[in-house]
Amino acid sequence: METTIKSKRVSYGLVELKDAGASSPRYRIYVNGQLKEYSNDLNFMVSTFERKYY
């Protein structure tokens, strides 16, 4: 089960950073429900979430 770590509304919709738990890759970024980015590195994903999606 995925848990939302961060989310924000942007001009083109909803962006969510989620933790997929035991699944691999663990951290995933969704834009309007579609998977856009994924990694096992949380720091990288938080940085990408903050920098790329605005």
Side-chain angles (χ1 to χ4, degrees):
M1 182 174 158
E2 292 183 335
T3 304
T4 301
I5 298 171
K6 292 182 134 193
S7 67
K8 61 182 168 182
R9 285 243 171 243
V10 293
S11 61
Y12 47 88
L14 178 65
V15 180
E16 298 173 291
L17 172 59
K18 294 188 175 190
D19 180 345
S23 299
S24 184
R26 183 166 180 180
Y27 303 104
R28 303 167 183 188
I29 293 177
Y30 292 88
V31 176
N32 295 325
Q34 290 189 315
L35 180 63
K36 295 295 183 182
E37 315 236 5
Y38 50 87
S39 175
N40 285 316
D41 183 346
L42 178 58
N43 290 328
F44 172 75
M45 292 304 284
V46 169
S47 172
T48 301
F49 179 85
E50 297 296 338
R51 176 180 38 82
K52 188 173 180 180
Y53 299 97
Y54 54 88

